[in-house]
Amino acid sequence: MANGNFTQVTEFILTGVSECPDPQIPLFFVFLVIYGLTVTGNLSIITLTSVDSHLQTPMYFFLRHLAIISLGNSTVIAPKMLVNFLVKKHTTSYYECATQLGGFLVFIVAEMLMLAMMAYDRCVAICHPLLYMAVVSRRTCFRLVSLTYLYSFCTSIVTSSSVFSMTCCSSNVMNHFYCDTVPLLALSCSDTSVPEAVIHISASTNLMFSLITVVASYFNIFLSILKIRSSEGQKRAFSTCASHMTAVSVFYGMLLFMYLQPQSNHSMGADKMASVFYTLVIPRLNPMIYSLRHKDVKAALKRFIRNPCCFLKSIYLFL
């Protein structure tokens, strides 16, 4: 493949999670199980929070969309990854690569903002309980979620366009298991300062905004919890945000590890493992974290098990 405009590239070769041929089949079954559990768990959250009358609060509205985002994030990556475990030539076409990168950016940015909104929701619920339904109204929730998807889509378009405007070197081998910005930039022969600037500005802005929102929300939450005199009241207030704190810690921990490590310590092997975690493992953990922590979700699941016909009728009416 000669040097030329990046859009002339017809395909890329992905090295995959592991370049060794022996563990490919075992890895296929491991990630197939993870993806199957991710789909099942997130679809269960989406279904329960859509049709159960006890789960129609703003908190579960945001949780439903977090499940949609988690499902989308893993679905953008997992199917192609699973196919590549079974074939010898791990190729992906130019347009398939661009679509995968765009979809990944949409969902990863949307997840950051959704976690920030869920933190704000918990802050209002605990710090200003009497104003909760007025501040976090149904219309406000719908607008916030709509703006999240719109902003994520626009961010994805701008970032993807800047990455795919480069010229490519003679090699089209990408040291990753999906199309991401860092391995794509590594294939460029041209000046990458502009796309790198776009990526860093976008990533740092989104990360800082969401982190500041989360930290500020939980700072106010902790101050409000400390003002509660009874230990039982403090425990009850803390339990309402414990699951979200767990999800936030895991998600942001992986992102900070991925993007803030020194360049001298940068390892594609470590990046691959981190990528596996936040594209496949975290979407699997989210429904487990929220279903185990929230008694309302567990109660809704028990109602579904006891009377599935009623739930199926609710789903039919909902659709």
Side-chain angles (χ1 to χ4, degrees):
M1 195 180 303
N3 290 353
N5 190 278
F6 197 80
T7 57
Q8 294 174 349
V9 175
T10 58
E11 67 178 16
F12 299 99
I13 299 174
L14 301 171
T15 59
V17 176
S18 173
E19 297 182 49
C20 300
D22 293 338
Q24 298 299 308
I25 298 301
L27 284 174
F28 168 79
F29 285 108
V30 168
F31 288 111
L32 179 63
V33 170
I34 292 174
Y35 181 59
L37 293 173
T38 299
V39 172
T40 303
N42 284 290
L43 282 180
S44 299
I45 293 291
I46 294 167
T47 303
L48 290 174
T49 55
S50 297
V51 302
D52 192 283
S53 59
H54 298 83
L55 303 180
Q56 301 306 309
T57 63
M59 178 176 66
Y60 293 109
F61 177 80
F62 290 130
L63 178 57
R64 182 192 316 154
H65 285 277
L66 179 65
I68 293 171
I69 291 166
S70 296
L71 182 60
N73 194 10
S74 59
T75 301
V76 165
I77 306 298
K80 182 65 178 178
M81 177 186 179
L82 291 171
V83 169
N84 284 341
F85 281 128
L86 302 177
V87 297
K88 290 185 177 180
K89 195 176 181 182
H90 305 164
T91 58
T92 182
S93 69
Y94 170 82
Y95 293 107
E96 188 178 15
C97 185
T99 302
Q100 187 179 57
L101 176 62
F104 168 72
L105 292 173
V106 166
F107 290 118
I108 202 71
V109 173
E111 186 163 0
M112 275 193 283
L113 298 179
M114 193 62 62
L115 288 171
M117 281 190 288
M118 293 175 75
Y120 174 73
D121 169 75
R122 292 298 82 210
C123 178
V124 176
I126 294 173
C127 301
H128 308 285
L130 298 179
L131 300 175
Y132 178 61
M133 294 309 297
V135 175
V136 194
S137 64
R138 191 177 187 86
R139 178 178 294 182
T140 301
C141 292
F142 181 78
R143 286 176 177 174
L144 287 173
V145 169
S146 299
L147 287 173
T148 294
Y149 288 129
L150 178 61
Y151 174 78
S152 301
F153 179 77
C154 292
T155 301
S156 173
I157 291 295
V158 172
T159 306
S160 300
S161 299
S162 67
V163 171
F164 281 90
S165 65
M166 304 177 305
T167 55
C168 185
C169 290
S170 57
S171 174
N172 66 338
V173 179
M174 195 183 307
N175 188 16
H176 218 308
F177 61 92
Y178 69 94
C179 293
D180 199 4
T181 54
V182 174
L184 278 168
L185 288 174
L187 299 179
S188 175
C189 287
S190 60
D191 182 19
T192 60
S193 57
V194 173
E196 282 180 351
V198 171
I199 291 168
H200 287 306
I201 291 172
S202 174
S204 58
T205 301
N206 295 329
L207 187 59
M208 289 305 298
F209 171 77
S210 57
L211 263 179
I212 289 171
T213 303
V214 169
V215 171
S217 297
Y218 276 107
F219 180 75
N220 287 316
I221 287 171
F222 288 136
L223 289 180
S224 296
I225 290 176
L226 291 175
K227 293 177 182 178
I228 300 174
R229 295 182 178 180
S230 67
S231 59
E232 186 64 29
Q234 290 180 339
K235 184 179 179 181
R236 191 182 305 112
F238 182 77
S239 66
T240 63
C241 56
S243 56
H244 182 258
M245 286 178 62
T246 305
V248 163
S249 300
V250 173
F251 180 77
Y252 284 106
M254 281 297 101
L255 282 184
L256 292 173
F257 168 80
M258 185 76 175
Y259 293 107
L260 296 184
Q261 59 179 311
Q263 192 65 30
S264 58
N265 297 333
H266 202 80
S267 165
M268 282 307 299
D271 284 356
K272 284 183 184 181
M273 290 303 102
S275 297
V276 165
F277 205 85
Y278 70 71
T279 59
L280 296 171
V281 178
I282 289 179
R284 166 67 195 104
L285 291 177
N286 279 341
M288 186 169 66
I289 291 170
Y290 284 100
S291 61
L292 291 176
R293 289 284 187 175
H294 280 284
K295 62 180 181 180
D296 292 339
V297 175
K298 290 189 285 187
L301 187 59
K302 290 178 182 177
R303 286 192 293 271
F304 170 75
I305 294 172
R306 285 198 302 265
N307 193 1
C309 294
C310 181
F311 263 82
L312 291 175
K313 184 178 178 180
S314 299
I315 293 172
Y316 175 77
L317 295 173
F318 178 79
L319 296 174

